[in-house]
Amino acid sequence: MKTNLMGRSSTTDSKRNLERQHLFADARRVVVITGAGISAAAGLATFRGPTGLASTDDMTERLSGRHLEADPEDVRAFVTGMADDAARCEPTAAHFALAEWQRSLRAKGGDLTLVTMNIDGLHERAGAETLELHGSAHRLRCEQCAAMHAGPWTSDPCRSCGGQVRADVVLYGERVMVEPEWKVKRALPDADLFLAIGTSVETGTISSWARFCRRDYDVPTVLFSLDPSPAAAEQFDVVIDGQADEIVEYIATSR
Ligand SMILES: [Zn+2]
């Protein structure tokens, strides 16, 4: 199914809304990717994107893998600050609605693969099983033995081997997490809806998933984002310009 509802002047708004709601209501196997926009309502500054925390060259440099080698203390302070900010926030209505949608689809024999670029842990706290493409600011990884430990990121060595630990997050210049990416690629061919929420679709990863959906799998693609760029919008069949929390109304139609 391919429905490009952007700019179709003959379609009334109400009919357009109905078509959009059908996409959600009929979906049984959904892949959802979320970005910083979904956590903005929780009070968190965005990690990536044109209005985000990491929007300047300076921030991009401070959160880079290269800087971790040069000045690990500075990166640790930055990531620890992000983890502290996230810990002070609560999941939003959109986080809870996605968790409930995942439970409800699974109860009906369907599935919702939820993958996020956020490292704030809010999807997990809302009760969703989540694939973290950029890792988590609340988890540590030993660079020597690869053991995982719960945060916070202090200067303490690995409890297993004494090696150096770091936050299990993807810094600029580093590759996204392999296992989440692999699981999404496995879920896409069988999906009946690919939904991106609160992301500027700047990363090549999401662009390539949207391309697979449209070109290879015939999966409808929906971008739900505040003020999406034309470059981002043209990669999706349906574009909904809205606050992330407004997704709750669309998910409600799937019950
Ligand atoms: Zn270790």
Side-chain angles (χ1 to χ4, degrees), residues 142-147 149 158-165:
C142 175
E143 298 199 272
Q144 196 161 304
C145 74
H149 305 284
C158 172
R159 293 194 290 274
S160 303
C161 76
Q164 193 170 17
V165 299

Side-chain angles (χ1 to χ4, degrees), residues 4 21 62 68 82 84 86 96 132 144 153 159 163 221 241 244:
N4 189 343
Q21 285 170 4
R62 277 191 72 190
L68 180 64
M82 293 170 75
D84 289 346
F96 284 114
E132 293 165 321
Q144 196 161 304
W153 188 8
R159 293 194 290 274
T221 56
D241 184 354

Side-chain angles (χ1 to χ4, degrees), residues 3-240:
T3 49
N4 189 343
L5 305 177
M6 291 292 285
R8 189 193 287 174
S9 55
S10 61
T11 308
T12 64
D13 281 352
S14 60
K15 187 180 175 194
R16 182 185 296 182
N17 283 338
L18 202 61
E19 288 183 58
R20 290 171 170 181
Q21 285 170 4
H22 268 296
L23 277 179
F24 286 78
D26 298 343
R28 288 294 173 268
R29 304 192 71 81
V30 183
V31 176
V32 180
I33 169 85
T34 67
I38 197 166
S39 294
L44 282 177
T46 56
F47 180 29
R48 287 166 197 256
T51 58
L53 184 65
S55 62
T56 66
D57 288 346
D58 178 49
M59 292 299 174
T60 306
E61 176 58 31
R62 277 191 72 190
L63 283 171
S64 69
R66 193 174 52 186
H67 191 53
L68 180 64
E69 288 177 19
D71 191 351
E73 286 302 303
D74 190 45
V75 179
R76 185 163 65 82
F78 204 112
V79 173
T80 302
M82 293 170 75
D84 289 346
D85 287 346
R88 277 191 290 269
C89 293
E90 295 298 324
T92 67
H95 289 104
F96 284 114
L98 285 170
E100 177 55 35
W101 198 14
Q102 186 181 60
R103 279 192 293 273
S104 139
L105 284 173
R106 287 178 176 179
K108 290 187 278 196
D111 198 10
L112 188 150
T113 301
L114 179 59
V115 56
T116 187
M117 296 189 291
N118 300 337
I119 60 172
D120 55 36
L122 291 180
H123 282 300
E124 293 275 0
R125 282 172 56 197
E129 187 185 304
T130 315
L131 303 172
E132 293 165 321
L133 201 59
H134 289 164
S136 169
H138 304 283
R139 193 171 57 234
L140 306 176
R141 179 177 82 229
C142 175
E143 298 199 272
Q144 196 161 304
C145 74
M148 295 289 188
H149 305 284
W153 188 8
T154 65
S155 56
D156 294 345
C158 172
R159 293 194 290 274
S160 303
C161 76
Q164 193 170 17
V165 299
R166 58 167 286 181
D168 188 33
V169 298
V170 175
L171 299 171
Y172 284 93
E174 295 181 330
R175 197 193 183 290
V176 298
M177 298 286 176
V178 172
E179 190 177 336
E181 189 185 25
W182 179 74
K183 287 182 173 173
V184 171
K185 281 183 175 170
R186 281 194 46 162
L188 284 179
D190 295 326
D192 49 22
L193 178 63
F194 176 69
L195 173 63
I197 304 173
T199 165
S200 50
V201 202
E202 283 171 355
T203 70
T205 306
I206 303 179
S207 296
S208 69
W209 291 346
R211 196 164 58 244
F212 288 143
C213 286
R214 299 177 83 173
R215 189 190 64 195
D216 300 332
Y217 307 139
D218 204 23
V219 177
T221 56
V222 178
L223 173 63
F224 201 104
S225 185
L226 198 60
D227 197 18
S229 72
E234 72 181 16
Q235 299 179 54
F236 287 80
D237 300 319
V238 177
V239 178
I240 303 172

